[in-house]
Amino acid sequence: MQVHFPRITIAGLRGGSGKTILSLALCWLFSRQGLKVKAFKKGPDYIDAKWLSLASGQHASNLDPFLFSVPRIQTLFTSFASTHDLAVVEGNRGLFDGMDTRGSCSTSELARILQSPVIMVLDCTKSTRTTAAIVQGCSRFEENLNLAGVILNQTAGARHRDITRRSIEKYTDVPVLGALPKLKDTPIPERHMGLISSQEYQGLDDIFRALGMVVAENIDVQRVLSIAGSAPACSQTQHIIPEVSSGPSREDVVIGIVRDRALWFYYQENLDALSRQGAKLVELSLLTPEEWPSIHGLYLGGGFPETSARELSANISARSKVKDLADQGLPVYAECGGFMYLAESLHYEGEDFNMAGVFNVQTRVYKKPQGHGYIRAGIIEPNPFYSTGDSIVGHEFHYSRCLSLSPEARFCMRMERGTGMAGYKDGLLYRNVLAGYAHVHAFSVEGWAANFVRAAGIFKDHVQKSTGPCPDIVCT
């Protein structure tokens, strides 16, 4: 079925060009006009996606040509066409920057897959007429790319804006949609992984209002909306991507999702996939003293455990609870920050903080990335979540490193691409716990959610029949 789904892709010449600020402002402004905006983030990015969710008032989704096949990108994207009025896709890095000289997995490749008009944010710092050559080059660099407009950023004054605008309009056919002034202060502070967590920053309404006012006063927002509406109709599939099941759906299992200031990196689609398999999801915290309900599985996402390390360490009851559940054979899946919590200790800014102690390993946070980029790994050890011999894809982005790994440490992943924990291995195993630096997306790792729910069901059945620890669960 052909559907009309207005859409734009916001791109730049490099990271830090102003894509996120513009995308947030447009999402907020369009939402204020009464439009239901679906935001997407190109690439495996949790933080920008979270801010886009807040600005649009709807969950943002990630789109990535490395993690997803073209049909899956199109299926996920068009699944929102009948329920939303507009899509805003924020690119990453430079428009043509990809994994190789062909630009594989670049923002421009994604824009072509989606047949989306591109609006480029152009940092004009200390340049005027040269920007026309840049725009002309970008507009002709790749076939079938619709560079529908540019927005000037970091402009120094009226004369600067006038010369730059007239130069682009004289030498190219790409319209200038507006010019943003230099901002004295960045509305959203940054940390080593980009924008800081929305949970660590207050005054969200004030932030979006300030950004919206700047953009509304300096950019032809209605023309941007018109460009979005010029996108061609797209084919909409009738169903979302199915999960490959490893057994019957379990509607009676409960999986705890830790979502607090320390751990909050989750793809919404991962949580949706667990729910589609029949699991009931309950949100938990490692920072508060509240008692947990009975759970049959535990998902520890990524985040910034180092910034809450003192509180995590002080919550002895939570640390003991997690260690005891792991010893009892609870299926636990932990990614990056979640893995750091399962270690013996976390070293940050000169201090050591006790963690849950499920694994006999320490982690230390450094000032530079210790692993960053896409990963591909083969499954080499039996575990509850993947079959031995499987190959999975995902990404890693961590500033911490493992210290004092025991020679007896068991890994279930051999890295074919990426850094991992040590010796190009990742995915530490203990009982029914799998913890590593790898982040996976349910749409690129079929069966992950079904296997997780199946393992939780096995644990629940065992608990009901026995008082002893659950045996090790193996995905077959």
Side-chain angles (χ1 to χ4, degrees):
M1 180 176 66
Q2 293 293 108
V3 294
H4 181 55
F5 194 18
R7 54 199 181 272
I8 51 170
T9 296
I10 307 299
L13 294 178
R14 57 174 175 78
S17 61
K19 297 185 299 293
T20 300
I21 296 297
L22 178 62
S23 298
L24 293 177
L26 290 176
C27 285
W28 187 82
L29 287 168
F30 291 145
S31 297
R32 294 275 291 182
Q33 292 183 23
L35 299 173
K36 190 173 183 181
V37 181
K38 175 63 183 180
F40 295 89
K41 174 63 182 179
K42 188 272 173 185
D45 186 301
Y46 294 102
I47 301 176
D48 285 0
K50 178 63 174 178
W51 281 97
L52 288 167
S53 299
L54 294 168
S56 64
Q58 311 288 328
H59 283 298
S61 298
N62 296 74
L63 297 172
D64 193 287
F66 178 83
L67 298 179
F68 313 149
S69 66
V70 170
R72 292 196 168 187
I73 289 174
Q74 294 170 330
T75 298
L76 174 60
F77 182 79
T78 59
S79 69
F80 297 99
S82 61
T83 56
H84 292 74
D85 300 310
L86 169 74
V88 175
V89 183
E90 183 194 340
N92 77 331
R93 298 185 179 274
L95 173 59
F96 304 107
D97 297 333
M99 297 176 62
D100 48 40
T101 57
R102 295 187 299 108
S104 301
C105 305
S106 63
T107 297
S108 62
E109 179 178 313
L110 178 62
R112 290 196 304 274
I113 292 171
L114 301 178
Q115 294 183 287
S116 171
V118 175
I119 294 176
M120 188 166 66
V121 185
L122 191 61
D123 187 335
C124 301
T125 302
K126 297 181 180 179
S127 64
T128 52
R129 186 170 176 265
T130 301
T131 59
I134 294 171
V135 172
Q136 186 182 69
C138 288
S139 67
R140 300 179 180 180
F141 190 66
E142 289 184 349
E143 292 184 1
N144 301 318
L145 180 76
N146 179 11
L147 183 56
V150 296
I151 291 174
L152 312 181
N153 193 24
Q154 300 286 2
T155 58
R159 183 175 181 275
H160 185 197
R161 288 189 282 274
D162 180 61
I163 295 176
T164 306
R165 178 191 290 271
R166 288 192 292 112
S167 297
I168 294 172
E169 291 174 345
K170 177 177 180 179
Y171 294 104
T172 81
D173 296 325
V174 182
V176 177
L177 306 177
L180 297 173
K182 290 184 177 180
L183 300 179
K184 294 181 180 179
D185 300 306
T186 303
I188 308 174
E190 296 187 2
R191 189 187 284 130
H192 52 242
M193 291 178 69
L195 302 181
I196 72 166
S197 158
S198 61
Q199 299 185 26
E200 299 176 67
Y201 201 68
Q202 304 300 315
L204 295 177
D205 290 341
D206 293 339
I207 290 175
F208 295 136
R209 187 175 296 104
L211 292 177
M213 288 179 61
V214 171
V215 169
E217 291 171 358
N218 295 281
I219 290 173
D220 190 342
V221 175
Q222 290 309 116
R223 192 171 182 186
V224 172
L225 191 59
S226 176
I227 289 172
S230 71
C234 50
S235 298
Q236 184 182 31
T237 54
Q238 297 300 310
H239 58 275
I240 199 66
I241 301 163
E243 268 281 308
V244 176
S245 179
S246 298
S249 175
R250 294 295 303 254
E251 298 181 354
D252 56 348
V253 301
V254 179
I255 295 179
I257 310 294
V258 170
R259 197 195 294 259
D260 54 25
R261 194 170 63 256
L263 303 181
W264 58 275
F265 288 3
Y266 297 97
Y267 293 122
Q268 182 62 38
E269 289 78 17
N270 285 16
L271 306 183
D272 293 343
L274 293 172
S275 295
R276 285 199 305 274
Q277 288 299 316
K280 176 183 178 182
L281 307 185
V282 297
E283 291 196 3
L284 308 173
S285 174
L286 298 171
L287 299 172
T288 58
E290 284 83 4
E291 286 291 325
W292 287 7
S294 177
I295 59 174
H296 313 115
L298 180 62
Y299 189 5
L300 301 172
F304 297 116
E306 64 271 24
T307 63
S308 301
R310 195 175 304 280
E311 295 164 88
L312 291 171
S313 182
N315 195 348
I316 298 174
S317 63
R319 292 196 283 118
S320 299
K321 176 75 170 178
V322 170
K323 177 65 165 67
D324 181 63
L325 288 170
D327 291 341
Q328 291 300 312
L330 182 81
V332 180
Y333 195 87
E335 298 178 322
C336 201
F339 152 65
M340 294 165 68
Y341 181 76
L342 297 180
E344 285 280 354
S345 64
L346 188 163
H347 183 89
Y348 179 60
E349 294 187 345
E351 292 189 66
D352 288 304
F353 301 94
N354 291 327
M355 294 289 116
V358 173
F359 294 102
N360 183 23
V361 64
Q362 294 79 46
T363 64
R364 179 172 182 167
V365 178
Y366 293 81
K367 294 186 180 300
K368 295 183 178 180
Q370 304 299 299
H372 183 198
Y374 295 122
I375 66 105
R376 182 179 290 109
I379 304 302
I380 58 175
E381 287 285 341
N383 67 89
F385 305 95
Y386 307 108
S387 296
T388 306
D390 282 354
S391 181
I392 67 169
V393 295
H395 76 280
E396 61 181 342
F397 192 2
H398 51 99
Y399 280 69
S400 72
R401 184 195 305 170
C402 296
L403 304 175
S404 307
L405 269 168
S406 167
E408 291 79 31
R410 292 174 53 224
F411 296 94
C412 78
M413 299 179 187
R414 179 182 290 118
M415 307 298 289
E416 300 164 8
R417 176 191 175 97
T419 302
M421 290 180 167
Y424 297 103
K425 292 184 179 180
D426 199 43
L428 274 174
L429 294 172
Y430 169 73
R431 300 297 319 282
N432 294 318
V433 181
L434 191 161
Y437 281 124
H439 294 274
V440 299
H441 194 291
F443 285 1
S444 59
V445 184
E446 288 187 347
W448 169 84
N451 294 333
F452 198 159
V453 175
R454 170 182 173 271
I458 292 173
F459 178 82
K460 183 179 193 299
D461 291 344
H462 177 83
V463 168
Q464 290 177 339
K465 299 173 183 177
S466 173
T467 58
C470 178
D472 291 355
I473 301 169
V474 175
C475 175
T476 58

